[in-house]
């Protein structure tokens, strides 16, 4: 029916020009006559959205500004992560064995690992792994950092696995109710397919699909339609976009992708590449051995910071001092290998692990509290930052360090840590006979810190950053690891309970002492 086809194409062209968008058209042909039933803007994935927007602009159907509004942040997020080369291929479709929640975008391929310890071992050996758990907890962050991707049977879009994975830019699929994990036999079963530890697994964090083989990946490229689109974005934007980056490699990639600096460098993430030294520091039986381990970490942190400053030459780098509970860096149980690495007996090692354990670690010894009880750690980190900045300066780099005190709840906590950082800076500058400009601020993560913000600023904080994960869960009293299980029903039953208090009705805040 070439005549009908020609008529269809003519009408498609008319509709696309009228609506100025790609159309999803329903039609029928009856007795040789074409009937158009309905039309609407067609659904599209990330790559298609960008290519359609650029194509429509080149055809003169939309302006650049209109084209920019046709692509969502979610579309771009998907495109800036590794993807599978061909999701429409027979090989890909045949390998899909289940579908969960697309908790963090991107594609990942690796061998199955069921424990943090196994994931870290594979990472050290240069083998890509997918960490598979019923659900993750703060004790799993070492394995999550080492994994290419994360798969959990439980949890939603705000679960621990989802939040951490998105923060690190790692693909994650959560909430596969049919996923059964047998840790004794080290196998997983999903929709009748059983895989064992060491078998290949692929996950698609953009669709939630889980695949039972190693599917070919394609690295993101800032070229073609995406390159053109992002040039338009740079021309139109009125604010800088800063990246989260914790390594020189991440910083270099962020710079290539147009980041205006680093908004958050999480120093604890650097520690995952130096676990033996970190564990010797944490588990040292006395202050002398603890200081010796800290001295080992100094040149390692200094090298990392210098690499980051070099990558971000002339752009700001906001560095958060050590934040998480120290027990996150040690395994759940001691073994001979761990004991030997920290110079303790297995019994002493296990006793130390038990001593470090906390009932509620996210509200325990972390952030500035850790810095107050172990000021030598903060002094080491500050020295590493300032020495790295001076080393980079000698090489012609312009470092712009911004140091940030985490998790304060009082003015005194901020000033205690700020004094350590400032005195360390003065010492380093005196030793080197040179200096660099730096700024000092804090991360507002505790509701009390938000209420005391003006007092903290008056005490010398030059900038604030907001840690919305902790701030939200502490304000509402929700656990971000568990909120996904009840929040949809909760919001449906109490639709107005989460609205903000109107400013005009807000009661006056009484004077509060720091």
């Amino acid at each position: 029916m070439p005549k009908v086809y020609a008529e269809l194409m003519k009408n498609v062209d008319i509709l696309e020009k009228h609506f100025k968008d790609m159309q999803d058209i329903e039609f029928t042909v009856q007795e040789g006559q074409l009937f158009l039933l309905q039309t609407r803007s067609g659904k599209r994935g990330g790559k298609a959205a960008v290519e359609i927007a650029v194509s429509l602009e080149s055809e003169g159907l939309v302006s650049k500004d209109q084209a920019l509004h046709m692509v969502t942040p979610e579309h771009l997020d998907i495109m800036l992560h590794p993807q599978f080369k061909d999701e429409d291929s027979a090989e890909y479709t045949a390998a899909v064995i289940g579908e969960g929640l697309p908790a963090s975008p991107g594609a990942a391929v690796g061998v199955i690992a069921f424990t943090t310890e196994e994931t870290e071992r594979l990472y050290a050996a240069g083998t890509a792994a997918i960490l598979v758990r019923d659900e993750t907890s703060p004790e799993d962050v070492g394995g999550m950092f080492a994994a290419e991707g994360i798969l959990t049977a439980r949890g939603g879009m705000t679960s621990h696995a989802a939040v951490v994975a998105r923060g690190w830019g790692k693909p994650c699929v959560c909430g596969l109710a049919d996923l059964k994990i047998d840790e004794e036999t080290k196998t997983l079963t999903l929709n009748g397919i059983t895989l064992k530890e060491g078998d290949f697994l692929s996950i698609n964090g953009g669709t939630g699909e889980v695949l039972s083989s190693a599917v070919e990946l394609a690295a993101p490229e800032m070229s073609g339609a995406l390159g053109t689109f992002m040039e338009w974005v740079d021309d139109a934007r009125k604010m800088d976009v800063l990246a989260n980056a914790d390594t020189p490699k991440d910083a270099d990639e962020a710079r290539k992708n147009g980041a205006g600096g680093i908004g958050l460098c999480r120093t604890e993430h650097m520690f995952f590449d130096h676990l033996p030294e970190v564990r010797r520091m944490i588990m040292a039986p006395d202050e002398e051995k603890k200081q010796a381990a800290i001295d080992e970490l100094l040149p390692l942190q200094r090298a990392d910071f210098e690499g980051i400053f070099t990558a971000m030459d002339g752009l700001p780098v906001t560095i958060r001092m050590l934040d998480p509970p120290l027990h996150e860096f040690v395994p759940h149980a001691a073994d001979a290998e761990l004991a030997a690495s920290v110079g303790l007996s297995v019994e002493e090692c296990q006793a130390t692990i038990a001593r470090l354990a906390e009932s509620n670690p996210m509200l325990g010894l972390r952030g500035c509290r850790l810095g107050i009880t172990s000021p030598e750690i903060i002094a080491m980190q500050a020295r590493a930052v300032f020495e790295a900045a001076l080393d980079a300066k000698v090489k012609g780099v312009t470092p712009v360090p911004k140091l940030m005190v985490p998790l304060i709840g009082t003015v005194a906590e901020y000033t205690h840590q700020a004094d350590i950082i400032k005195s360390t800076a003065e010492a380093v500058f005196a030793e080197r006979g040179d200096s660099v400009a730096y700024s000092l601020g804090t991360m507002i993560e505790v509701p009390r810190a938000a209420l005391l913000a003006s007092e903290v600023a008056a005490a010398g904080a030059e900038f604030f950053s907001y840690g919305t994960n902790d701030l939200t869960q502490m304000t509402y009293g929700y656990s971000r690891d568990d909120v996904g299980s009840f929040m949809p029903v909760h919001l449906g039953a109490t639709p107005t309970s989460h609205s903000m208090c109107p400013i005009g009705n807000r009661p006056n805040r009484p004077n509060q002492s720091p």
Side-chain angles (χ1 to χ4, degrees), residues 1 3-4 7 27-36:
M1 297 186 290
K3 184 178 178 180
V4 173
E7 186 181 359
F27 66 92
T28 188
V29 178
Q30 184 174 339
E31 297 179 353
Q33 186 173 356
L34 174 69
F35 294 90
L36 299 182

Side-chain angles (χ1 to χ4, degrees), residues 158-477:
T158 57
S159 65
H160 179 268
V163 171
V164 173
R166 287 196 295 270
W168 283 346
K170 290 181 180 288
C172 178
V173 175
C174 292
L176 280 90
D178 295 329
L179 175 62
K180 307 302 179 186
I181 299 171
D182 188 330
E183 294 193 2
E184 286 189 10
T185 62
K186 297 189 181 300
T187 60
L188 68 81
T189 302
L190 182 58
N191 293 327
I193 304 296
T194 298
L195 300 172
K196 63 182 183 300
E197 190 166 68
D199 287 345
F200 274 103
L201 192 72
S202 301
I203 62 172
N204 189 331
T207 65
E209 292 169 317
V210 179
L211 302 93
S212 60
S213 61
V215 181
E216 186 176 2
L217 292 171
E221 293 184 5
M222 193 68 69
S223 60
L226 179 60
T228 299
F229 184 85
M230 294 309 294
E231 287 177 4
W232 298 348
V233 171
D234 282 337
D235 291 339
R237 65 185 173 93
K238 297 180 180 179
M239 65 173 68
D240 283 334
V241 178
L242 280 67
N244 283 1
D246 315 309
T247 66
K249 180 182 177 182
D250 290 345
D252 187 57
E253 192 65 28
R255 185 73 182 251
K256 289 177 182 176
N257 285 324
I262 294 177
L264 179 60
C265 174
R266 297 156 290 196
T267 55
E268 62 271 11
H269 291 183
M270 298 175 174
F271 281 8
F272 291 122
D273 281 335
H274 312 304
L275 276 176
E277 294 84 4
V278 173
R279 287 170 174 169
R280 281 196 289 274
M281 175 185 73
I282 296 170
M283 307 185 76
D286 54 54
E287 289 300 318
E288 182 180 350
K289 290 183 178 178
K290 181 179 180 181
Q291 188 59 53
I294 290 173
D295 292 341
E296 287 184 76
L297 280 168
L298 174 60
L300 301 174
Q301 289 243 283
R302 182 172 59 226
D304 286 339
F305 287 131
E306 183 180 350
I308 291 172
F309 289 137
T310 300
M312 286 287 139
D313 186 7
L315 298 178
V317 177
T318 304
I319 299 164
R320 184 176 70 189
M321 313 309 281
L322 188 62
D323 179 52
L326 289 180
H327 77 272
E328 290 189 1
F329 297 101
V330 297
H332 302 294
D335 56 30
E337 182 180 356
L338 174 64
S341 70
V342 298
L344 298 172
S345 68
V346 174
E347 292 74 17
E348 291 171 328
C349 194
Q350 188 60 52
T352 302
I353 291 173
R355 177 174 54 80
L356 289 169
E358 296 180 289
S359 298
N360 194 343
M362 298 311 290
L363 294 178
L365 183 59
R366 55 172 289 224
C368 66
R369 305 158 197 160
L370 176 61
I372 290 169
T373 56
S374 296
E376 61 276 8
I377 296 177
I378 303 307
M380 178 275 290
Q381 289 195 302
R383 174 171 285 275
V385 169
F386 295 122
E387 289 183 349
L390 291 173
D391 290 344
K393 181 180 177 182
V394 169
K395 297 173 183 176
V397 173
T398 302
V400 187
K402 301 177 69 174
L403 288 79
M404 186 161 62
V405 179
L407 209 75
I408 67 160
T410 69
V411 174
E413 286 177 330
Y414 171 76
T415 56
H416 181 282
Q417 296 291 276
D419 287 345
I420 294 173
I421 294 169
K422 288 188 283 189
S423 63
T424 302
E426 291 171 3
V428 172
F429 295 162
E431 293 165 8
R432 294 290 189 93
D434 196 2
S435 64
V436 292
Y438 70 95
S439 52
L440 192 53
T442 189
M443 180 170 269
I444 303 294
E445 303 166 85
V446 177
R448 180 175 172 80
L451 295 174
L452 295 175
S454 60
E455 287 92 332
V456 177
E462 298 170 276
F463 68 89
F464 293 152
S465 178
Y466 291 88
T468 52
N469 285 332
D470 277 318
L471 192 56
T472 300
Q473 66 178 352
M474 283 194 236
T475 298
Y476 281 104

